[in-house]
Amino acid sequence: MAARAVWLAFRGGLGRRQAFSTKANVQVKARVAERTSPVTHALRFIPQGSGRITVEVIEHLERLALVDFGSREAVARLEKAVAFADRLREVDTDGVEPMESVLEDRCLYLRSDNVAEGNCAEELLQNSHRVMEEYFVAPPGNISLPKLVNKNPSYTAKW
Amino acid sequence: MAAPMLRGVSPVRRWSLAWVDGGSRHRRTSPNGSTSNRIREQSSVAQQPLHTAQKPRKGGHKWAAVVGLEIHAQISSNSKLFSGSQVSFTAPPNSLVSFFDASLPGTLPVLNRRCVEAAVMTGLALNCRINKKSLFDRKHYFYADLPAGYQITQQRLPIAANGSLSYGVFVGNRWSHMATKTVRIKQIQLEQDSGKSLHDDLRSQTLIDLNRAGVGLLEVVMEPDLSCGEEAAAVVKELQLILQALGTSQANMAEGQLRVDANISVHHPGEPLGIRTEVKNLNSIRFLARAIDHEIQRQINELESGGEILNETRSFDPKLGCTVPMRDKEGKQDYRFMPEPNLPPLVLYDTASLPAGADSQQVINIDQIRDALPELPSATRKRLVQQYGMLPEHSFALLNEAGLLQFFQNVMKETRAEPKKVTSWVLNTLLGYLKHHNLAVSESPITPSALAGLLDLLDSKAISSSAAKQQV
């Protein structure tokens, strides 16, 4: 028993970054969201809205991005991530030209218009699960999302 | 009546706000539902209530239709927009696909110089302001023929904006008088084409060919200044001629090199604009005019009988001669635009701003391109009218048929006959003959020299007019 207590403490000490599961505890702890908060400035935090994410928004996001917010914890994690990102709004950006990308000072290379690639149909088709006569095979119509049986996210963690 | 653009939100914040606060900023709350074609892409939340048209007052009020076009033209180039695979219409499936086109991880886009030049040429020909700095964005949506899950386009800051296109329409009864009208060009942008999907209903699957994926497209977005199918047809024809004259696109609608989507709504003059529908699958200019006119009539009938117009996408069925609703698109699409992180801004120069000692392969000089522009159709027609004294309608007719102008000029070179006579013979007799036998000018059994000789004989009164016609 003592050994186990030491072991748990040791694991706890190593960092909340590591997910840990013991025979007794199979819950997977959230990793990123529980990381210690980053650089803190002497800025006032102005919370925007309640920070709750509604079921409609979740369904919409799942449809768009084809991800599965299967568990309540996942939603909570998402809410924390959004709150984390919201802190960007504390910075006063009036009159500041927005940055387009970290590459914005570089030169965009222009390629001359000649044929240099292609003719690798066999290699590409090997990647596909199903192939028919040099065509990739896809399900008919658009990629469909299975209908949600119940609107509430399930209680048990799926991953 | 100018269509106001609802672009109150600054570019960067558009995405960051998109879904976090429920997209309230971007909901299309304006009753002017049909103004901007771009607003559809900026709105976010899927579960918006469908906008309904206001009930029109019955009796006696005239209807006005508002039509806006979005045209995609495939750029005529050797290789694709961001990769080095070949651009070709016919080839074995998936043989013209590079690793980038197939969206394999680790591949990056490299911009094709020729496509940029084509965009600048087209922008200059359409009197646009060329943006010296333009940006690339990603437009996300899932479809089997879009392997990356996003399309690289230029939504925030396109390469050209604020232009105009002049076109001719017949006023009054046919062939009597031509008037010139103008449609405003909102913007021109470079974007990628998607692959081709062939639907195999028998086996309930879709076959994907990525040969077309990544080919450069010029999207020409026009303001909704048009009011009927005939005007739309004239605009598309004129754009086709311009693109062909510039060589930037072969603009063949039948081969899918020119694709037109029409946004149509009706309203009573003086009242707010109505709900618009989008009509797709328009494969020829004739279908385009018919589909638009039919859709206008359908909307009028619907509204007059007390119904309402849904903001939907419809497809034109040429066999039925009417528009039918397309497959359900799951409410409003949210494209989640974001800057393309792998491409820096595209910077163009003119002679004044060209950096000294710059590699000429790596810079594009707008002034140089402007000086090298070929003669545009409108200039050609003006020249014909001045040089040969022909009516404007005839100059339009000569240019509208592929190869006819060249034929006419060849005849003029070899004959002594008057231009008016040659014009009349080419447009009436020859063209009539070709149309009757369903032939293109290139297939004409009568060569320019033959016609020239015939006209010379006629001119010297060696033969009579009817005999000459019989020869043809």
Side-chain angles (χ1 to χ4, degrees), chain B residues 68-104:
Chain B
L69 297 178
E70 275 172 26
I71 301 177
H72 292 83
Q74 236 179 39
I75 301 178
S76 174
S77 61
N78 297 330
S79 55
K80 295 184 181 177
L81 182 59
F82 290 116
S83 71
S85 2
Q86 191 184 8
V87 174
S88 168
F89 186 54
T90 50
N94 291 310
S95 61
L96 306 176
V97 186
S98 70
F99 288 177
F100 171 76
D101 301 325
S103 295
L104 299 190

Side-chain angles (χ1 to χ4, degrees), chain A residues 1 3 8 37 39 46 52-53 58 62 66 74 80 88 90 92 108 116 134:
Chain A
M1 275 301 281
L8 280 173
S37 61
V39 183
I46 309 156
R52 305 314 319 262
I53 295 189
I58 292 292
E62 287 188 343
L66 294 186
K80 283 195 185 148
L88 282 173
E90 297 167 32
D92 178 15
L108 178 53
E134 296 178 337

Side-chain angles (χ1 to χ4, degrees), chain A residues 53-116:
Chain A
I53 295 189
T54 64
V55 171
E56 283 81 32
V57 175
I58 292 292
E59 279 180 25
H60 179 61
L61 288 174
E62 287 188 343
R63 215 163 204 72
L64 282 183
L66 294 186
V67 298
D68 184 14
F69 289 100
S71 69
R72 211 184 234 175
E73 287 181 331
V75 180
R77 195 166 315 140
L78 179 63
E79 286 172 355
K80 283 195 185 148
V82 170
F84 176 66
D86 268 347
R87 298 180 52 158
L88 282 173
R89 300 192 208 189
E90 297 167 32
V91 182
D92 178 15
T93 54
D94 284 344
V96 178
E97 196 67 30
M99 180 178 85
E100 275 105 29
S101 79
V102 288
L103 299 174
E104 65 179 13
D105 288 336
R106 302 246 187 131
C107 257
L108 178 53
Y109 177 77
L110 294 171
R111 185 179 56 86
S112 54
D113 185 29
N114 37 26
V115 179

Side-chain angles (χ1 to χ4, degrees), chain B residues 147 149 285 407:
Chain B
I285 296 192
F407 193 101

Side-chain angles (χ1 to χ4, degrees), chain B residues 421-437:
Chain B
K421 238 204 169 51
V422 180
T423 314
S424 167
W425 271 80
V426 168
L427 283 179
N428 297 331
T429 322
L430 175 71
L431 196 58
Y433 173 82
L434 290 175
K435 289 293 178 200
H436 185 66
H437 290 90

Side-chain angles (χ1 to χ4, degrees), chain B residues 18-33:
Chain B
W19 49 265
V20 171
D21 55 354
S24 53
R25 287 247 215 145
H26 308 283
R27 214 186 312 251
R28 293 200 296 120
T29 52
S30 152
N32 307 346

Side-chain angles (χ1 to χ4, degrees), chain B residues 207-441:
Chain B
L207 303 178
I208 306 292
D209 175 13
L210 296 178
N211 281 348
R212 203 184 65 178
V215 172
L217 288 180
L218 282 175
E219 176 166 354
V220 181
V221 183
M222 299 183 174
E223 305 281 9
D225 293 341
L226 305 171
S227 59
C228 65
E230 191 188 342
E231 286 183 3
V235 165
V236 172
K237 182 70 197 176
E238 185 65 14
L239 183 65
Q240 242 186 358
L241 292 176
I242 291 178
L243 291 172
Q244 286 163 351
L246 291 173
T248 50
S249 169
Q250 284 162 338
N252 186 333
M253 278 183 92
E255 289 184 7
Q257 290 159 342
L258 192 71
R259 285 166 242 158
V260 182
D261 299 333
N263 292 286
I264 302 160
S265 75
V266 296
H267 71 303
H268 292 294
E271 288 180 22
L273 298 174
I275 302 298
R276 63 174 162 85
T277 62
E278 185 180 4
V279 180
K280 290 174 112 85
N281 191 30
L282 301 163
N283 295 334
S284 77
I285 296 192
R286 249 190 17 228
F287 287 164
L288 172 73
R290 274 174 62 193
I292 291 176
D293 286 333
H294 171 268
E295 178 63 17
I296 292 172
Q297 198 54 51
R298 183 193 77 87
Q299 289 195 6
I300 292 177
N301 294 342
E302 188 72 28
L303 290 174
E304 280 188 345
S305 59
E308 50 192 32
I309 308 292
L310 297 171
N311 177 14
E312 60 180 348
T313 306
R314 299 177 74 87
S315 168
F316 179 66
D317 187 331
K319 278 178 260 153
L320 296 176
C322 64
T323 58
V324 294
M326 269 180 98
R327 60 188 186 279
D328 173 53
K329 278 181 103 178
E330 297 182 17
K332 207 72 64 185
Q333 271 279 33
D334 179 358
Y335 293 115
R336 294 173 294 152
F337 286 98
M338 66 174 259
E340 168 59 56
N342 295 323
L343 292 171
L346 173 61
V347 178
L348 304 172
Y349 302 95
D350 51 26
T351 318
S353 62
L354 207 57
D359 180 4
S360 65
Q361 253 299 95
Q362 285 303 312
V363 293
I364 293 196
N365 185 341
I366 302 172
D367 290 334
Q368 213 172 43
I369 295 180
R370 185 184 290 118
D371 293 335
L373 280 181
E375 186 179 62
L376 294 177
S378 49
T380 310
R381 283 191 288 255
K382 220 178 267 184
R383 185 169 55 81
L384 286 175
V385 169
Q386 275 175 345
Q387 195 174 353
Y388 300 116
M390 65 171 71
L391 294 169
E393 295 89 84
H394 296 160
S395 68
F396 270 93
L398 273 181
L399 259 66
N400 280 354
E401 190 68 29
L404 196 60
L405 177 63
Q406 191 60 48
F407 193 101
F408 170 82
Q409 283 169 328
N410 288 346
V411 173
M412 283 306 300
K413 268 190 267 190
E414 299 188 27
T415 189
R416 287 180 326 231
E418 269 184 8
K420 282 217 166 80
K421 238 204 169 51
V422 180
T423 314
S424 167
W425 271 80
V426 168
L427 283 179
N428 297 331
T429 322
L430 175 71
L431 196 58
Y433 173 82
L434 290 175
K435 289 293 178 200
H436 185 66
H437 290 90
N438 216 357
L439 294 169
V441 175

